[in-house]
Amino acid sequence: MTVGDVTTEGQQTVPGCSPRPTVESFSRVRELTDLLASRLSAEDQIPQSMTAASPAAWHRAHTTWFFEEFVLGRLPGYSSPEPVFRFLFNSYYEAVGPRQPRPQRGLITRPSVAEIGDFRARVDEAVVAALEAGRVDERGLELLELGCHHEQQHQELMLMDAKHLFSHNPTDPVYVHRSADPVAAAPGETDWLVVVEGVAQVGAPDPADGSGLSPDGSSSGGFSYDNERPRHRVWIPGGEVSTRQVTVADWKEFMADGGYTRPELWLSDGWAAVQAEGWDAPGYWRREDGAAGNASAGTAGAPASDGEWTTFTLSGRRPVVDAEPVCHVSFYEADAYARWSGARLPTEFEWEVASAGWEIRDELDPDRCHPQPVTDRTIGGVWEWTASAYLPYPGFVTEEGAAGEYNGKFMSDQHVLRGGSALTPAGHTRPTYRNFFPASSRWAATGLRLAR
Amino acid sequence: MTVGDVTTEGQQTVPGCSPRPTVESFSRVRELTDLLASRLSAEDQIPQSMTAASPAAWHRAHTTWFFEEFVLGRLPGYSSPEPVFRFLFNSYYEAVGPRQPRPQRGLITRPSVAEIGDFRARVDEAVVAALEAGRVDERGLELLELGCHHEQQHQELMLMDAKHLFSHNPTDPVYVHRSADPVAAAPGETDWLVVVEGVAQVGAPDPADGSGLSPDGSSSGGFSYDNERPRHRVWIPGGEVSTRQVTVADWKEFMADGGYTRPELWLSDGWAAVQAEGWDAPGYWRREDGAAGNASAGTAGAPASDGEWTTFTLSGRRPVVDAEPVCHVSFYEADAYARWSGARLPTEFEWEVASAGWEIRDELDPDRCHPQPVTDRTIGGVWEWTASAYLPYPGFVTEEGAAGEYNGKFMSDQHVLRGGSALTPAGHTRPTYRNFFPASSRWAATGLRLAR
Amino acid sequence: MTVGDVTTEGQQTVPGCSPRPTVESFSRVRELTDLLASRLSAEDQIPQSMTAASPAAWHRAHTTWFFEEFVLGRLPGYSSPEPVFRFLFNSYYEAVGPRQPRPQRGLITRPSVAEIGDFRARVDEAVVAALEAGRVDERGLELLELGCHHEQQHQELMLMDAKHLFSHNPTDPVYVHRSADPVAAAPGETDWLVVVEGVAQVGAPDPADGSGLSPDGSSSGGFSYDNERPRHRVWIPGGEVSTRQVTVADWKEFMADGGYTRPELWLSDGWAAVQAEGWDAPGYWRREDGAAGNASAGTAGAPASDGEWTTFTLSGRRPVVDAEPVCHVSFYEADAYARWSGARLPTEFEWEVASAGWEIRDELDPDRCHPQPVTDRTIGGVWEWTASAYLPYPGFVTEEGAAGEYNGKFMSDQHVLRGGSALTPAGHTRPTYRNFFPASSRWAATGLRLAR
Amino acid sequence: MTVGDVTTEGQQTVPGCSPRPTVESFSRVRELTDLLASRLSAEDQIPQSMTAASPAAWHRAHTTWFFEEFVLGRLPGYSSPEPVFRFLFNSYYEAVGPRQPRPQRGLITRPSVAEIGDFRARVDEAVVAALEAGRVDERGLELLELGCHHEQQHQELMLMDAKHLFSHNPTDPVYVHRSADPVAAAPGETDWLVVVEGVAQVGAPDPADGSGLSPDGSSSGGFSYDNERPRHRVWIPGGEVSTRQVTVADWKEFMADGGYTRPELWLSDGWAAVQAEGWDAPGYWRREDGAAGNASAGTAGAPASDGEWTTFTLSGRRPVVDAEPVCHVSFYEADAYARWSGARLPTEFEWEVASAGWEIRDELDPDRCHPQPVTDRTIGGVWEWTASAYLPYPGFVTEEGAAGEYNGKFMSDQHVLRGGSALTPAGHTRPTYRNFFPASSRWAATGLRLAR
């Protein structure tokens, strides 16, 4: 591959939801949410295990509110029969009005989980009826499309949040029962893909290019968020990007070499986080001490030997697996690992250029919900931290109205992750997608690959 | 009444649970918990709305754990089929072992609410079987008695916590539907009971005095916590105690006179709390602004006029009622009110002496759950802050073993409240009962009466 | 000693300042402050090492402001040439007006230390002139007397704060050079003084009793703070009070027996403090590790062996001395020690009764500033935690005006200490004096004695 | 100007310190520190007004430690006579060893201010002697050069910190007396410089290029920090950059238009900061209320009318001046202002390209210490927030040893500022200099210019 003919061929679309959702594609998105939630009891759907997380019941209601607010709300004469939901289930849209304080989402026990189900059904019916009657105007269709992608993002969040919640329960609750995988060998040394110095086009094309081709010849047609646009030129310095993600086996070497105890490997804020948080391994890892006391009395899954590292998964606690990508590491840890290995993290644009032709793998399988072993020249399984700060692209324009708050107002003090994870619904993992989290965050399924 | 013949005649007992519980009295206590919980959905039983509160599901399980740990655990050969519950539902007993961190009680969604019901049933059966088989030894019976009183305390906590939780929901959830009360006139000026200077006997007699009479002739026979004992002599300085509690109408005068804005009325820590917390009225009060926005969109109960004060109750939000005792005030507020009125709070011993002959009223009515209008020469309805710090009585002895942690280790930096509230189960409101909370706490049903 | 003839004979007075200060006694108090401050450089006088502490420069200015505000301010036509000092050097008197926020006292570098000296001289001159001219009215004389005692309290605070400040400097600054003491043997087993059950008179007599005799025949004449009054009756339960304070040697046994690692010995809040603060020894203690690194490179004083405990003193760091009273322990530690030893802390009234005839020793010697070895039947050297909460005495009346804020508004959530310390100016250590600190405080020279 | 011939002609050097310091240039830098410190009393040099700030005494000692550690420490046989200074005055160099905790720098009162002067003199003598004897090796000379620039950075910090400290004193201390400026008219509409789309070279050339010319023909010869290098290519999207900074007059319009009250103008974290911090104007601004009470009793400078905005300067408090650049605004405020004005902030590379030919103005004048009115096509006076996150340049290499900690470990979660301020020593304001602060920081002299 040479720089200059970077394309977005690999960019997939949510089947049917883009460019314009249909009754069928809309319903399919909504049904997946219900399927994912069906494995959570009413009790499981209530707690908010930290401010950054949200209750599953709230995710189900908030995504529904999004359609009511932005799609149904545009229909002439529409008014919500439950106006308090505008307050309860608005996430952060200042233009919509005041809302339930974010740290108090876990205190909403009424409407009940069943009533939230009724709310979903009512809004679904109204959206379908409006679609079938052709009453949704062009902007409404755009917002309906956005709403479908929004709901898919919340599907991933709902799983992340369930995992975070369950991890605080010493009974190691199981979200989905799954038998052990066949043992896979950890991949060996990585290959490095040469990224040639020069100007590259990055970002997603304008969705308004109905032809499916952007002016510069790249493929279009797929959905993109505003933060992926406009497509624009960047200068890529020459470099190499690893063709595979960092594995659990790799990470164990870093740990064995004192990775968590050597300040010279860390950014200053990262070293402060190591000390403040007591990090000595990735998130959800625990070293078993043989004489497991009360705290692990209920541990599910395979038994772990003394001194062995286990990790908490959506199928319970089990030993870590060498061949899997390392997961639940913060940006600080990813950066320290890269420094330790004599390499660095790729920028988001190197990543985009390098990965453009790679296969997308390991998107959300509701019966697995855990990354598969690393394979070469693929993306997916874990989100990958990049060296890039989350900033607007040149020419970025905030949309009018409340929808303009979707992405733009978060463009400071966060870091870009690229790819997708084993919790990312099919169609979202694409070369231009920009995920973002604060540098200390470990609750998403976050890993890394190296560059040099 | 003259000092010297202070008795504990007014002291009531939990019907049947003391001195030794029977199958019937044990079952009655357990059934009331189930009745109170039955008005809470599975969702309602999960959240922990602040660290000091606990989920209803946890209350139901913890009280059950208490019987398993302290009563069943004494039976030869007994071992719990669910050992992780020892970790999950231990509150603060260091001698029992490590436990779920207190701020994370709201993250326990498994066992489910139904499974906690099964746990309750299993333990109830085992206790009843052991009682019927005469297999509970004397110490076991003492702990069973303690467990019944413990469960009653958690009945009140469960209601306090439900109210606190619901108050964060703008839909103003209703715990129990209740029609409006007939309007009662606020009582007028108070009478003052003279408490004569001299030595008085206070505290509860030793329960081991099987005769029902303590050596000094006072009545015994009723249950008491260790913190109410030993009965001992104190010197009572002469004074007067108001024969009625401070009312909502009284409190409005304090507010109208700038009570919350005049530092000279407040203890230093109290004034700091006013400023830090933004207190300008008792807990749960809100001044309606007519143009109620989203935050009150779901407000239940009677409509409130512009500028009117409402309060959140277990039957929803409704205007404050002049004749009711003021409720949900902190010690700091009670103290400031007393200073403003030219009086002071009674000490716990003045209170005990003064109230000894008064009627106990307004104990928990599950269909009301709210204080009734103030009446003269009665206690109950609201807990009453006293001027006394919560300290051990002379000769206080900590019990052996984990049960010794029940009360003793909290005897610092808290203030004594006396009486009982409209959420206090029948039998607990008695002249010697010592409730205690930190000075800034407002979540219990706390009011006051004056002394001078 | 039998209860009933408790007197306040032991009560000493500040030589000359009470009942009414003279030019000479006023000047002597002021000069001691200057002497104590003279050992602190301009730099030393600026920092505020924690919110509860104050800079020496501020102490010097605040005590001066007290005389300007309360004594000179009463003189007809007086107005301060430096009105901003009213803002800068008011501590907590709401009635006087707004003031420098307490945590920002260490940011006042102007007026300079020399200018604060000028301020002191100016006020001294004006007070002396007014005294000599007989222009200070009766209330003014009372406030002048209060101001002298107030300044003496700040002399102790200034030393406490200097020690706290210096302890953060790895060069171990020396406040006063002092050669090592001759080695004293630690006292052996304690004697116990029997305190007989019955009614006792406690507290200080009304200073208005010009006769020097209070109505009940006790001695008067000495100064007392409002919080020591009124003299009143209490019921003393029978008990025994140790005739000597707990020593360093005693405390080492507690530590060797796991005192800081056994939760059953601690109040709940105390155990939380142990864990949050990492306490494993009294304040200022440090276990030397032989291979002392940078942190102790500048350590002054005698060299310490590996594993030996040292303590930081106003003469630098030196090994702990078995015969000295243990010092800089919190109420929580004192309480845990007492429980460990099978005893308890005395109440403030038991203490007052027991100590009434004991010798006062070890008051402030500016050339020593450190407690001397424990001796029998004495008070002083270290403040002694009691079991009593700091509450108003029956009949306590808050003075009119700003002076009423002196003590009264702090009467919640603190614990009473009795006696006096090696930093307490002569005349302040008396049987009725009530010092008070929060339960977790360790920065005063605080120790304990046992009761049972 | 067209892209492609961007040079670093405007880049100035510290006279004489680069490429290699001489006795004379070294001494000149050291003397300026002494001059700046000479206006601060011993008292002024002690406090640390917030964790991010440092005491002036510490700045003076730390810069000296830098020379001792990095230059003298390389000399054969050198050992410090004051090894504890390695602990006290190390800022953040993990490779050097443990150090005084950062928030406790204000507790170091010994060594005294005079002793720190002795330390400075001792190190100066040793450095000069070593230079004159030719005993400083090549790496030592590089570190000596770095040390000079390091000291200059601390000169600016010392002034920032003095201003921050003094602003907490209601007497409004004056660092340098200065009479009022002649009134200048605020500049009118701005011009916009077109920055043409294309590839540009940015960053500083390798200082090892002794020729003074980098391989691509740009000027070299000047000092640069590692974070300005390597010089590299970037793609500049077409745009326009304002030829002047935003003024006080501009900012008043933003405020008058509700700038601080409209969430739609703000980044999410910025809006949270507005609410948490209560921001309603730039840092150090205050709206005068006419009836100024104690808090402003000592205000120096020109009297302010009722309702007028004043600002605190190093010459005391004075009315804000329309023609001056707005100063002490956070990145969040700069970003919100840009959004309000329909523009945006320039990226650091747009800024570097646009400003390359502009005049450098308004560097540190010790008799002024305040920005002069804005002029066209100049940089300096205030640092300018850019849209760029602070990240390493492609090919950035961390230096070996402790010096590698100088800049690199801070490259996360901060924002780049370009230019220089009225507190920046001569020679530091250059087109490639990268200053950096967290987005919420307002204590440096920070302003902005617009791009679009």
Side-chain angles (χ1 to χ4, degrees), chain C residues 198-258:
Chain C
V199 172
Q201 289 262 14
V202 294
D206 186 342
D209 295 330
S211 71
L213 287 179
S214 68
D216 63 324
S218 71
S219 156
S220 116
F223 171 83
S224 60
Y225 290 105
D226 56 359
N227 67 1
E228 303 173 56
R229 301 189 303 258
R231 189 160 170 83
H232 65 287
R233 286 183 167 75
V234 293
W235 179 266
I236 303 280
E240 295 181 326
V241 175
S242 169
T243 58
R244 69 162 175 81
Q245 296 163 341
V246 170
T247 65
V248 165
D250 296 333
W251 201 267
K252 284 175 171 175
E253 287 184 45
F254 170 66
M255 288 165 62
D257 196 34

Side-chain angles (χ1 to χ4, degrees), chain B residues 91-278:
Chain B
S91 52
Y92 53 65
Y93 295 85
E94 300 277 354
V96 171
R99 68 215 77 96
Q100 180 77 355
R102 180 161 186 169
Q104 297 180 9
R105 289 181 185 163
L107 306 185
I108 306 172
T109 60
R110 303 185 185 189
S112 68
V113 163
E115 287 164 342
I116 288 171
D118 296 342
F119 176 40
R120 291 183 66 86
R122 173 172 71 69
V123 167
D124 285 353
E125 263 179 63
V127 168
V128 166
L131 273 180
E132 291 180 340
R135 296 176 61 229
V136 185
D137 64 7
E138 186 56 26
R139 178 63 180 151
L141 287 172
E142 276 176 20
L143 291 164
L144 184 63
E145 183 189 10
L146 180 62
C148 289
H149 289 268
H150 171 258
E151 180 137 358
Q152 290 180 296
Q153 289 185 308
H154 278 276
Q155 288 162 357
E156 176 158 8
L157 285 166
M158 194 164 68
L159 292 170
M160 286 160 57
D161 295 352
K163 184 171 181 178
H164 190 261
L165 169 64
F166 284 172
S167 75
H168 288 84
N169 188 326
T171 66
D172 288 337
V174 169
Y175 173 78
V176 55
H177 283 284
R178 192 165 66 80
S179 53
D181 296 302
V183 175
E189 289 302 298
T190 183
D191 278 346
W192 297 88
L193 177 76
V194 176
V195 179
V196 183
E197 186 183 29
V199 172
Q201 289 264 16
V202 294
D206 185 342
D209 294 331
S211 71
L213 287 180
S214 69
D216 63 323
S218 73
S219 155
S220 116
F223 171 84
S224 60
Y225 289 106
D226 56 358
N227 66 0
E228 302 171 58
R229 302 189 302 260
R231 189 157 170 86
H232 65 288
R233 288 184 164 73
V234 294
W235 180 266
I236 303 280
E240 294 180 326
V241 175
S242 169
T243 58
R244 69 161 174 82
Q245 297 162 341
V246 170
T247 65
V248 164
D250 296 333
W251 202 266
K252 284 175 169 173
E253 286 183 45
F254 171 67
M255 288 166 61
D257 196 35
Y260 282 98
T261 62
R262 293 165 52 189
E264 72 270 21
L265 299 175
W266 294 78
L267 287 165
S268 182
D269 288 348
W271 184 239
V274 166
Q275 297 181 293
E277 305 295 331

Side-chain angles (χ1 to χ4, degrees), chain D residues 117-399:
Chain D
D118 296 341
F119 175 40
R120 290 183 66 87
R122 173 172 71 70
V123 166
D124 285 354
E125 263 180 63
V127 167
V128 166
L131 272 179
E132 290 178 341
R135 296 175 63 229
V136 185
D137 64 8
E138 187 55 27
R139 178 60 181 154
L141 288 171
E142 276 176 17
L143 290 164
L144 184 62
E145 184 189 10
L146 179 63
C148 290
H149 289 269
H150 171 257
E151 179 137 358
Q152 291 180 296
Q153 290 184 307
H154 278 275
Q155 288 162 356
E156 177 158 7
L157 286 165
M158 195 164 66
L159 293 169
M160 286 160 57
D161 294 352
K163 184 171 181 177
H164 190 261
L165 170 63
F166 284 174
S167 74
H168 289 84
N169 189 326
T171 66
D172 288 338
V174 169
Y175 173 80
V176 56
H177 283 284
R178 193 164 67 78
S179 55
D181 298 302
V183 175
E189 290 300 299
T190 183
D191 277 348
W192 297 88
L193 177 76
V194 175
V195 179
V196 183
E197 185 184 30
V199 173
Q201 289 263 12
V202 294
D206 185 343
D209 295 331
S211 70
L213 287 179
S214 69
D216 63 324
S218 71
S219 158
S220 115
F223 171 84
S224 60
Y225 289 105
D226 56 359
N227 67 1
E228 303 173 56
R229 300 189 303 260
R231 189 159 171 83
H232 66 286
R233 286 184 167 77
V234 294
W235 180 268
I236 303 281
E240 293 181 328
V241 176
S242 169
T243 59
R244 69 160 175 82
Q245 296 162 340
V246 169
T247 65
V248 164
D250 296 335
W251 202 266
K252 285 174 169 174
E253 287 184 43
F254 170 66
M255 288 165 63
D257 197 35
Y260 282 97
T261 60
R262 293 165 49 188
E264 71 272 20
L265 299 175
W266 295 78
L267 287 166
S268 180
D269 287 349
W271 185 240
V274 166
Q275 297 180 294
E277 306 295 332
W279 289 342
D280 63 354
Y284 297 125
W285 286 33
R286 186 173 72 203
R287 191 193 291 274
E288 302 303 322
D289 67 357
N294 274 310
S296 59
T299 296
S305 316
D306 195 9
E308 189 178 19
W309 286 99
T310 61
T311 187
F312 182 72
T313 76
L314 281 166
S315 301
R317 183 163 286 282
R318 50 186 63 197
V320 300
V321 172
D322 279 0
E324 290 177 0
V326 71
C327 194
H328 299 297
V329 293
S330 62
F331 170 79
Y332 295 130
E333 288 163 287
D335 175 84
Y337 177 89
R339 190 168 293 113
W340 168 78
S341 68
R344 59 177 173 83
L345 298 176
T347 68
E348 62 170 322
F349 303 124
E350 286 179 313
W351 189 98
E352 186 169 332
V353 165
S355 70
W358 292 347
E359 191 183 347
I360 293 165
R361 74 179 188 97
D362 207 6
E363 290 184 303
L364 174 59
D365 170 358
D367 293 327
R368 180 172 179 90
C369 296
H370 192 74
Q372 302 199 36
V374 164
T375 53
D376 208 47
R377 289 180 168 72
T378 55
I379 62 173
V382 291
W383 290 100
E384 303 179 17
W385 288 107
T386 71
S388 300
Y390 180 51
L391 295 172
Y393 283 175
F396 171 75
V397 176
T398 303
E399 286 188 36

